[in-house]
Amino acid sequence: MLIATLLLSGCVDYEVGIRFDNSNSGELVQHIKLGERLTSFSGEPVYEWLNSIERRARQEEGKVRRPSKEEVIVTIPFTNGEELQTKFNQFFHPTVNQKAVTNESDSQLPKVESNLLLNQNNFLLLVRNHLIYDLDLRSLALISSDGNVLANAGSILDLDFSLKTPWGARTIQRTENAPLPEKNNNQLVWHLNPGELNHIEAVFWLPSPLGIGTLLIVLFVGVGYYLRYKFMPDPRIQFATKTAVSEG
């Protein structure tokens, strides 16, 4: 199970979770809740932002729940890693073909660029997953409203990205200043840096239902063959005996 959580302390609770049932089934889940500080600070643009998320989720065949005006829960299913990658990136980068709605309210919100890449290698019974996630938070270095600039965004923004899988994950450190994760059992948690380009890489393994099913079929056929020809009469001899008796 993969879970990514973005928390804007006192402003926005943004949780993005990717849950793997296995290598061929899972869900992308987002839970977003606006805080009082943000709604009073930004007003209608943030509500339109939630509405745009709801529209994009439905374009990706997802389900949406709206417990309140300030809260939205999105669930988008996927059947493999390639579909997850496509839906994840399309969700955060809607195109004209997806009939995404953009207006003046959307343009007032900071633009955050993200890109998810998931490479999968099948080793019969197991699938090796290499996750690469780039999140550009340089637009959050300064937050402005009506010409008033609030510097030091790190003091008001607390952002985390976490990855949880059935058997845990191993992080890959490419650069010295890349965020280091904290480990909690099978979960890795990265503290992201506002105002910077955050690069995350991790490797994890998942069971392959197709490979396991194929192995079980082969074992079943092998055991049946062994029992039939080692512990039971040879069917050719048994058939020949029955033929001789009938002729007699």
Short mmCIF file of all heavy atoms in Angstrom, two decimals, residues 46-100:
data_model
loop_
_atom_site.label_atom_id
_atom_site.label_comp_id
_atom_site.label_asym_id
_atom_site.label_seq_id
_atom_site.Cartn_x
_atom_site.Cartn_y
_atom_site.Cartn_z
N VAL A 46 -10.55 28.75 -2.92
CA VAL A 46 -10.23 27.42 -2.40
C VAL A 46 -11.42 26.48 -2.53
O VAL A 46 -11.25 25.27 -2.73
CB VAL A 46 -9.78 27.51 -0.93
CG1 VAL A 46 -8.45 28.23 -0.83
CG2 VAL A 46 -10.82 28.17 -0.05
N TYR A 47 -12.65 27.01 -2.45
CA TYR A 47 -13.83 26.16 -2.65
C TYR A 47 -13.91 25.72 -4.12
O TYR A 47 -14.30 24.58 -4.41
CB TYR A 47 -15.10 26.91 -2.24
CG TYR A 47 -15.20 27.15 -0.75
CD1 TYR A 47 -15.20 28.43 -0.24
CD2 TYR A 47 -15.29 26.08 0.14
CE1 TYR A 47 -15.29 28.66 1.13
CE2 TYR A 47 -15.38 26.29 1.51
CZ TYR A 47 -15.38 27.59 2.00
OH TYR A 47 -15.46 27.81 3.36
N GLU A 48 -13.59 26.62 -5.02
CA GLU A 48 -13.55 26.26 -6.44
C GLU A 48 -12.47 25.23 -6.70
O GLU A 48 -12.61 24.35 -7.56
CB GLU A 48 -13.33 27.50 -7.30
CG GLU A 48 -13.19 27.20 -8.79
CD GLU A 48 -14.37 26.44 -9.36
OE1 GLU A 48 -15.50 26.62 -8.87
OE2 GLU A 48 -14.15 25.63 -10.28
N TRP A 49 -11.38 25.30 -5.94
CA TRP A 49 -10.33 24.30 -6.05
C TRP A 49 -10.86 22.91 -5.69
O TRP A 49 -10.60 21.93 -6.38
CB TRP A 49 -9.16 24.69 -5.15
CG TRP A 49 -8.06 23.68 -5.08
CD1 TRP A 49 -7.37 23.15 -6.13
CD2 TRP A 49 -7.54 23.06 -3.90
NE1 TRP A 49 -6.43 22.24 -5.67
CE2 TRP A 49 -6.51 22.16 -4.31
CE3 TRP A 49 -7.81 23.19 -2.54
CZ2 TRP A 49 -5.80 21.41 -3.40
CZ3 TRP A 49 -7.08 22.45 -1.64
CH2 TRP A 49 -6.10 21.56 -2.07
N LEU A 50 -11.64 22.81 -4.61
CA LEU A 50 -12.25 21.54 -4.24
C LEU A 50 -13.21 21.06 -5.32
O LEU A 50 -13.28 19.87 -5.63
CB LEU A 50 -12.98 21.67 -2.90
CG LEU A 50 -12.14 21.83 -1.64
CD1 LEU A 50 -13.04 21.79 -0.41
CD2 LEU A 50 -11.07 20.76 -1.54
N ASN A 51 -13.97 21.99 -5.90
CA ASN A 51 -14.90 21.61 -6.96
C ASN A 51 -14.16 21.09 -8.18
O ASN A 51 -14.62 20.14 -8.84
CB ASN A 51 -15.76 22.82 -7.35
CG ASN A 51 -16.68 23.27 -6.23
OD1 ASN A 51 -17.03 22.48 -5.35
ND2 ASN A 51 -17.06 24.54 -6.24
N SER A 52 -13.01 21.70 -8.51
CA SER A 52 -12.23 21.22 -9.66
C SER A 52 -11.67 19.83 -9.39
O SER A 52 -11.58 19.00 -10.30
CB SER A 52 -11.11 22.21 -9.98
OG SER A 52 -10.12 22.20 -8.94
N ILE A 53 -11.27 19.55 -8.15
CA ILE A 53 -10.80 18.21 -7.79
C ILE A 53 -11.93 17.19 -7.96
O ILE A 53 -11.72 16.07 -8.47
CB ILE A 53 -10.28 18.21 -6.34
CG1 ILE A 53 -8.97 18.99 -6.27
CG2 ILE A 53 -10.09 16.78 -5.82
CD1 ILE A 53 -8.42 19.14 -4.88
N GLU A 54 -13.12 17.58 -7.57
CA GLU A 54 -14.27 16.68 -7.72
C GLU A 54 -14.55 16.39 -9.18
O GLU A 54 -14.82 15.25 -9.56
CB GLU A 54 -15.49 17.35 -7.06
CG GLU A 54 -16.72 16.47 -6.99
CD GLU A 54 -17.85 17.11 -6.21
OE1 GLU A 54 -17.56 18.06 -5.44
OE2 GLU A 54 -19.00 16.67 -6.36
N ARG A 55 -14.47 17.40 -10.04
CA ARG A 55 -14.70 17.20 -11.46
C ARG A 55 -13.64 16.29 -12.07
O ARG A 55 -13.93 15.38 -12.85
CB ARG A 55 -14.72 18.55 -12.19
CG ARG A 55 -15.91 19.43 -11.86
CD ARG A 55 -15.98 20.61 -12.82
NE ARG A 55 -14.85 21.51 -12.66
CZ ARG A 55 -14.85 22.58 -11.87
NH1 ARG A 55 -15.92 22.86 -11.14
NH2 ARG A 55 -13.78 23.36 -11.80
N ARG A 56 -12.37 16.52 -11.72
CA ARG A 56 -11.28 15.71 -12.27
C ARG A 56 -11.39 14.26 -11.84
O ARG A 56 -11.06 13.34 -12.59
CB ARG A 56 -9.94 16.30 -11.86
CG ARG A 56 -9.50 17.48 -12.71
CD ARG A 56 -8.18 18.03 -12.24
NE ARG A 56 -8.34 18.93 -11.10
CZ ARG A 56 -7.36 19.28 -10.29
NH1 ARG A 56 -6.15 18.78 -10.47
NH2 ARG A 56 -7.57 20.12 -9.30
N ALA A 57 -11.83 14.03 -10.61
CA ALA A 57 -11.99 12.66 -10.11
C ALA A 57 -13.02 11.90 -10.93
O ALA A 57 -12.82 10.73 -11.28
CB ALA A 57 -12.38 12.69 -8.65
N ARG A 58 -14.12 12.55 -11.26
CA ARG A 58 -15.16 11.89 -12.05
C ARG A 58 -14.67 11.62 -13.47
O ARG A 58 -15.08 10.63 -14.08
CB ARG A 58 -16.43 12.75 -12.06
CG ARG A 58 -17.12 12.80 -10.69
CD ARG A 58 -18.56 13.26 -10.81
NE ARG A 58 -19.27 13.08 -9.55
CZ ARG A 58 -19.43 14.01 -8.63
NH1 ARG A 58 -18.92 15.22 -8.82
NH2 ARG A 58 -20.08 13.77 -7.51
N GLN A 59 -13.81 12.48 -14.00
CA GLN A 59 -13.25 12.24 -15.33
C GLN A 59 -12.36 11.00 -15.34
O GLN A 59 -12.20 10.36 -16.37
CB GLN A 59 -12.46 13.47 -15.78
CG GLN A 59 -13.33 14.68 -16.09
CD GLN A 59 -12.52 15.95 -16.27
OE1 GLN A 59 -11.29 15.92 -16.20
NE2 GLN A 59 -13.20 17.06 -16.50
N GLU A 60 -11.78 10.67 -14.19
CA GLU A 60 -10.92 9.48 -14.08
C GLU A 60 -11.68 8.27 -13.55
O GLU A 60 -11.10 7.33 -13.03
CB GLU A 60 -9.73 9.78 -13.15
CG GLU A 60 -8.83 10.91 -13.62
CD GLU A 60 -8.15 10.61 -14.93
OE1 GLU A 60 -8.00 9.40 -15.25
OE2 GLU A 60 -7.80 11.57 -15.64
N GLU A 61 -13.04 8.31 -13.66
CA GLU A 61 -13.91 7.21 -13.23
C GLU A 61 -13.81 6.96 -11.73
O GLU A 61 -13.88 5.82 -11.26
CB GLU A 61 -13.57 5.93 -14.00
CG GLU A 61 -13.71 6.07 -15.51
CD GLU A 61 -13.31 4.81 -16.25
OE1 GLU A 61 -12.69 3.92 -15.62
OE2 GLU A 61 -13.64 4.70 -17.44
N GLY A 62 -13.61 8.03 -10.99
CA GLY A 62 -13.50 7.92 -9.54
C GLY A 62 -14.81 8.22 -8.83
O GLY A 62 -15.77 8.71 -9.43
N LYS A 63 -14.84 7.93 -7.56
CA LYS A 63 -15.98 8.21 -6.70
C LYS A 63 -15.65 9.38 -5.78
O LYS A 63 -14.52 9.52 -5.33
CB LYS A 63 -16.36 6.98 -5.87
CG LYS A 63 -16.78 5.77 -6.71
CD LYS A 63 -17.13 4.59 -5.82
CE LYS A 63 -17.54 3.39 -6.65
NZ LYS A 63 -17.86 2.22 -5.78
N VAL A 64 -16.65 10.19 -5.49
CA VAL A 64 -16.44 11.40 -4.67
C VAL A 64 -17.45 11.43 -3.54
O VAL A 64 -18.63 11.17 -3.74
CB VAL A 64 -16.57 12.67 -5.53
CG1 VAL A 64 -16.38 13.92 -4.67
CG2 VAL A 64 -15.58 12.66 -6.67
N ARG A 65 -16.95 11.72 -2.35
CA ARG A 65 -17.82 11.99 -1.20
C ARG A 65 -17.52 13.39 -0.69
O ARG A 65 -16.37 13.80 -0.63
CB ARG A 65 -17.60 10.96 -0.09
CG ARG A 65 -18.14 9.59 -0.42
CD ARG A 65 -18.29 8.71 0.81
NE ARG A 65 -17.03 8.46 1.48
CZ ARG A 65 -16.77 8.82 2.73
NH1 ARG A 65 -17.66 9.52 3.43
NH2 ARG A 65 -15.61 8.53 3.29
N ARG A 66 -18.56 14.10 -0.31
CA ARG A 66 -18.41 15.48 0.17
C ARG A 66 -19.05 15.59 1.55
O ARG A 66 -20.20 16.00 1.70
CB ARG A 66 -19.07 16.42 -0.82
CG ARG A 66 -18.61 17.87 -0.75
CD ARG A 66 -17.22 18.05 -1.30
NE ARG A 66 -16.78 19.44 -1.17
CZ ARG A 66 -16.85 20.33 -2.16
NH1 ARG A 66 -17.33 19.97 -3.34
NH2 ARG A 66 -16.44 21.56 -1.96
N PRO A 67 -18.33 15.20 2.63
CA PRO A 67 -18.90 15.25 3.98
C PRO A 67 -19.33 16.66 4.38
O PRO A 67 -20.27 16.83 5.16
CB PRO A 67 -17.76 14.75 4.87
CG PRO A 67 -16.89 13.95 3.96
CD PRO A 67 -16.97 14.64 2.64
N SER A 68 -18.62 17.67 3.87
CA SER A 68 -18.95 19.06 4.17
C SER A 68 -18.46 19.93 3.04
O SER A 68 -17.79 19.46 2.11
CB SER A 68 -18.34 19.49 5.51
OG SER A 68 -16.92 19.53 5.42
N LYS A 69 -18.75 21.23 3.10
CA LYS A 69 -18.32 22.15 2.07
C LYS A 69 -16.82 22.26 2.01
O LYS A 69 -16.23 22.50 0.95
CB LYS A 69 -18.94 23.53 2.31
CG LYS A 69 -18.63 24.55 1.22
CD LYS A 69 -19.27 25.88 1.54
CE LYS A 69 -18.93 26.91 0.44
NZ LYS A 69 -19.53 28.24 0.74
N GLU A 70 -16.17 22.09 3.17
CA GLU A 70 -14.71 22.24 3.26
C GLU A 70 -13.96 20.93 3.11
O GLU A 70 -12.74 20.90 3.28
CB GLU A 70 -14.33 22.87 4.61
CG GLU A 70 -14.83 24.29 4.82
CD GLU A 70 -16.29 24.34 5.23
OE1 GLU A 70 -16.81 23.28 5.67
OE2 GLU A 70 -16.90 25.41 5.11
N GLU A 71 -14.65 19.84 2.79
CA GLU A 71 -14.00 18.53 2.79
C GLU A 71 -14.44 17.72 1.59
O GLU A 71 -15.63 17.71 1.21
CB GLU A 71 -14.32 17.79 4.08
CG GLU A 71 -13.59 16.48 4.29
CD GLU A 71 -13.89 15.87 5.64
OE1 GLU A 71 -14.72 16.43 6.38
OE2 GLU A 71 -13.28 14.83 5.97
N VAL A 72 -13.50 17.00 0.97
CA VAL A 72 -13.80 16.12 -0.15
C VAL A 72 -12.94 14.87 -0.05
O VAL A 72 -11.76 14.94 0.33
CB VAL A 72 -13.58 16.84 -1.50
CG1 VAL A 72 -12.13 17.25 -1.66
CG2 VAL A 72 -14.01 15.96 -2.67
N ILE A 73 -13.54 13.71 -0.36
CA ILE A 73 -12.83 12.43 -0.36
C ILE A 73 -12.99 11.80 -1.74
O ILE A 73 -14.10 11.57 -2.20
CB ILE A 73 -13.37 11.48 0.72
CG1 ILE A 73 -13.24 12.11 2.11
CG2 ILE A 73 -12.63 10.15 0.69
CD1 ILE A 73 -13.88 11.31 3.21
N VAL A 74 -11.86 11.54 -2.39
CA VAL A 74 -11.85 11.03 -3.76
C VAL A 74 -11.22 9.65 -3.78
O VAL A 74 -10.18 9.42 -3.16
CB VAL A 74 -11.04 11.98 -4.68
CG1 VAL A 74 -10.83 11.35 -6.04
CG2 VAL A 74 -11.75 13.32 -4.81
N THR A 75 -11.86 8.71 -4.50
CA THR A 75 -11.33 7.35 -4.66
C THR A 75 -11.31 7.01 -6.13
O THR A 75 -12.34 7.00 -6.80
CB THR A 75 -12.19 6.33 -3.90
OG1 THR A 75 -12.26 6.70 -2.52
CG2 THR A 75 -11.59 4.94 -4.00
N ILE A 76 -10.11 6.72 -6.66
CA ILE A 76 -9.95 6.40 -8.08
C ILE A 76 -9.30 5.01 -8.19
O ILE A 76 -8.19 4.80 -7.72
CB ILE A 76 -9.06 7.44 -8.78
CG1 ILE A 76 -9.67 8.83 -8.64
CG2 ILE A 76 -8.87 7.08 -10.25
CD1 ILE A 76 -8.81 9.94 -9.22
N PRO A 77 -9.98 4.04 -8.79
CA PRO A 77 -9.42 2.68 -8.90
C PRO A 77 -8.41 2.58 -10.04
O PRO A 77 -8.45 3.33 -11.02
CB PRO A 77 -10.65 1.82 -9.18
CG PRO A 77 -11.58 2.74 -9.91
CD PRO A 77 -11.34 4.12 -9.34
N PHE A 78 -7.48 1.63 -9.91
CA PHE A 78 -6.56 1.31 -11.00
C PHE A 78 -6.29 -0.19 -10.97
O PHE A 78 -6.43 -0.85 -9.95
CB PHE A 78 -5.26 2.11 -10.89
CG PHE A 78 -4.47 1.85 -9.63
CD1 PHE A 78 -3.56 0.82 -9.55
CD2 PHE A 78 -4.65 2.66 -8.52
CE1 PHE A 78 -2.83 0.58 -8.39
CE2 PHE A 78 -3.94 2.43 -7.34
CZ PHE A 78 -3.03 1.40 -7.29
N THR A 79 -5.89 -0.73 -12.13
CA THR A 79 -5.70 -2.18 -12.26
C THR A 79 -4.24 -2.59 -12.43
O THR A 79 -3.94 -3.78 -12.36
CB THR A 79 -6.51 -2.71 -13.46
OG1 THR A 79 -6.10 -2.00 -14.64
CG2 THR A 79 -8.00 -2.50 -13.24
N ASN A 80 -3.35 -1.63 -12.66
CA ASN A 80 -1.93 -1.95 -12.78
C ASN A 80 -1.12 -0.67 -12.58
O ASN A 80 -1.67 0.43 -12.48
CB ASN A 80 -1.61 -2.61 -14.13
CG ASN A 80 -2.13 -1.79 -15.30
OD1 ASN A 80 -1.81 -0.62 -15.44
ND2 ASN A 80 -2.93 -2.43 -16.15
N GLY A 81 0.20 -0.83 -12.54
CA GLY A 81 1.06 0.31 -12.30
C GLY A 81 1.00 1.36 -13.39
O GLY A 81 1.07 2.56 -13.12
N GLU A 82 0.88 0.93 -14.63
CA GLU A 82 0.82 1.88 -15.74
C GLU A 82 -0.44 2.74 -15.66
O GLU A 82 -0.39 3.96 -15.90
CB GLU A 82 0.86 1.12 -17.08
CG GLU A 82 0.85 2.03 -18.29
CD GLU A 82 0.92 1.25 -19.59
OE1 GLU A 82 1.02 0.00 -19.54
OE2 GLU A 82 0.89 1.89 -20.67
N GLU A 83 -1.56 2.11 -15.32
CA GLU A 83 -2.81 2.86 -15.19
C GLU A 83 -2.75 3.82 -14.01
O GLU A 83 -3.25 4.95 -14.08
CB GLU A 83 -3.99 1.91 -15.03
CG GLU A 83 -5.34 2.63 -15.04
CD GLU A 83 -6.51 1.67 -14.94
OE1 GLU A 83 -6.28 0.46 -14.67
OE2 GLU A 83 -7.66 2.12 -15.12
N LEU A 84 -2.12 3.39 -12.91
CA LEU A 84 -1.94 4.28 -11.76
C LEU A 84 -1.14 5.50 -12.16
O LEU A 84 -1.52 6.65 -11.84
CB LEU A 84 -1.23 3.54 -10.63
CG LEU A 84 -0.63 4.42 -9.53
CD1 LEU A 84 -1.73 5.17 -8.78
CD2 LEU A 84 0.22 3.60 -8.58
N GLN A 85 -0.04 5.30 -12.84
CA GLN A 85 0.82 6.40 -13.26
C GLN A 85 0.05 7.38 -14.14
O GLN A 85 0.13 8.60 -13.97
CB GLN A 85 2.04 5.84 -13.99
CG GLN A 85 2.97 6.89 -14.55
CD GLN A 85 4.15 6.25 -15.26
OE1 GLN A 85 4.81 5.38 -14.74
NE2 GLN A 85 4.39 6.69 -16.49
N THR A 86 -0.71 6.84 -15.10
CA THR A 86 -1.46 7.68 -16.03
C THR A 86 -2.53 8.49 -15.31
O THR A 86 -2.64 9.71 -15.49
CB THR A 86 -2.11 6.83 -17.12
OG1 THR A 86 -1.09 6.13 -17.84
CG2 THR A 86 -2.90 7.69 -18.08
N LYS A 87 -3.31 7.82 -14.47
CA LYS A 87 -4.40 8.51 -13.78
C LYS A 87 -3.87 9.53 -12.77
O LYS A 87 -4.43 10.62 -12.61
CB LYS A 87 -5.31 7.50 -13.08
CG LYS A 87 -6.16 6.69 -14.03
CD LYS A 87 -7.20 5.85 -13.29
CE LYS A 87 -8.16 5.18 -14.26
NZ LYS A 87 -9.23 4.42 -13.56
N PHE A 88 -2.79 9.17 -12.07
CA PHE A 88 -2.22 10.09 -11.09
C PHE A 88 -1.76 11.37 -11.76
O PHE A 88 -2.09 12.48 -11.32
CB PHE A 88 -1.05 9.40 -10.38
CG PHE A 88 -0.51 10.17 -9.20
CD1 PHE A 88 -0.90 9.85 -7.91
CD2 PHE A 88 0.39 11.21 -9.39
CE1 PHE A 88 -0.40 10.56 -6.82
CE2 PHE A 88 0.89 11.92 -8.31
CZ PHE A 88 0.49 11.59 -7.02
N ASN A 89 -1.01 11.25 -12.85
CA ASN A 89 -0.46 12.43 -13.51
C ASN A 89 -1.54 13.22 -14.24
O ASN A 89 -1.50 14.46 -14.27
CB ASN A 89 0.64 12.02 -14.48
CG ASN A 89 1.86 11.49 -13.75
OD1 ASN A 89 2.21 11.95 -12.67
ND2 ASN A 89 2.53 10.50 -14.34
N GLN A 90 -2.52 12.54 -14.81
CA GLN A 90 -3.61 13.26 -15.46
C GLN A 90 -4.47 14.00 -14.43
O GLN A 90 -4.98 15.09 -14.71
CB GLN A 90 -4.48 12.29 -16.25
CG GLN A 90 -3.85 11.82 -17.55
CD GLN A 90 -4.74 10.86 -18.32
OE1 GLN A 90 -5.75 10.38 -17.81
NE2 GLN A 90 -4.38 10.59 -19.56
N PHE A 91 -4.61 13.42 -13.26
CA PHE A 91 -5.41 14.06 -12.23
C PHE A 91 -4.79 15.39 -11.80
O PHE A 91 -5.48 16.39 -11.62
CB PHE A 91 -5.56 13.14 -11.02
CG PHE A 91 -6.44 13.69 -9.94
CD1 PHE A 91 -7.81 13.45 -9.96
CD2 PHE A 91 -5.91 14.44 -8.90
CE1 PHE A 91 -8.62 13.97 -8.97
CE2 PHE A 91 -6.72 14.96 -7.92
CZ PHE A 91 -8.08 14.72 -7.95
N PHE A 92 -3.46 15.40 -11.64
CA PHE A 92 -2.80 16.61 -11.18
C PHE A 92 -2.42 17.55 -12.33
O PHE A 92 -2.05 18.70 -12.09
CB PHE A 92 -1.54 16.26 -10.38
CG PHE A 92 -1.85 15.71 -9.03
CD1 PHE A 92 -1.76 14.35 -8.78
CD2 PHE A 92 -2.26 16.54 -8.00
CE1 PHE A 92 -2.05 13.84 -7.52
CE2 PHE A 92 -2.56 16.04 -6.74
CZ PHE A 92 -2.46 14.68 -6.50
N HIS A 93 -2.53 17.05 -13.58
CA HIS A 93 -2.26 17.89 -14.74
C HIS A 93 -3.38 17.71 -15.76
O HIS A 93 -3.18 17.11 -16.80
CB HIS A 93 -0.91 17.54 -15.36
CG HIS A 93 0.24 17.73 -14.45
ND1 HIS A 93 0.80 18.96 -14.20
CD2 HIS A 93 0.93 16.86 -13.68
CE1 HIS A 93 1.79 18.84 -13.33
NE2 HIS A 93 1.88 17.57 -13.00
N PRO A 94 -4.58 18.23 -15.47
CA PRO A 94 -5.70 18.07 -16.41
C PRO A 94 -5.42 18.78 -17.72
O PRO A 94 -4.79 19.84 -17.76
CB PRO A 94 -6.88 18.72 -15.66
CG PRO A 94 -6.24 19.66 -14.70
CD PRO A 94 -4.95 19.01 -14.29
N THR A 95 -5.89 18.18 -18.82
CA THR A 95 -5.68 18.75 -20.15
C THR A 95 -7.01 19.18 -20.75
O THR A 95 -8.08 18.91 -20.20
CB THR A 95 -5.03 17.71 -21.08
OG1 THR A 95 -5.93 16.59 -21.22
CG2 THR A 95 -3.70 17.24 -20.52
N VAL A 96 -6.93 19.80 -21.89
CA VAL A 96 -8.15 20.25 -22.57
C VAL A 96 -9.00 19.06 -22.98
O VAL A 96 -10.22 19.09 -22.94
CB VAL A 96 -7.78 21.10 -23.81
CG1 VAL A 96 -9.03 21.51 -24.58
CG2 VAL A 96 -7.01 22.35 -23.38
N ASN A 97 -8.34 17.96 -23.38
CA ASN A 97 -9.08 16.77 -23.79
C ASN A 97 -9.90 16.20 -22.66
O ASN A 97 -10.90 15.51 -22.87
CB ASN A 97 -8.11 15.72 -24.33
CG ASN A 97 -7.46 16.15 -25.61
OD1 ASN A 97 -8.03 16.94 -26.37
ND2 ASN A 97 -6.26 15.65 -25.88
N GLN A 98 -9.47 16.45 -21.42
CA GLN A 98 -10.22 15.97 -20.27
C GLN A 98 -11.31 16.94 -19.88
O GLN A 98 -12.02 16.72 -18.90
CB GLN A 98 -9.27 15.79 -19.08
CG GLN A 98 -8.27 14.68 -19.26
CD GLN A 98 -7.29 14.65 -18.12
OE1 GLN A 98 -6.43 15.51 -17.98
NE2 GLN A 98 -7.42 13.66 -17.28
N LYS A 99 -11.46 18.05 -20.64
CA LYS A 99 -12.48 19.05 -20.37
C LYS A 99 -12.32 19.62 -18.97
O LYS A 99 -13.29 19.83 -18.24
CB LYS A 99 -13.89 18.46 -20.53
CG LYS A 99 -14.17 17.92 -21.93
CD LYS A 99 -15.56 17.35 -22.03
CE LYS A 99 -15.83 16.81 -23.43
NZ LYS A 99 -17.19 16.23 -23.54
N ALA A 100 -11.08 19.85 -18.58
CA ALA A 100 -10.82 20.45 -17.28
C ALA A 100 -11.27 21.90 -17.30
O ALA A 100 -11.11 22.62 -18.29
CB ALA A 100 -9.34 20.37 -16.94
#
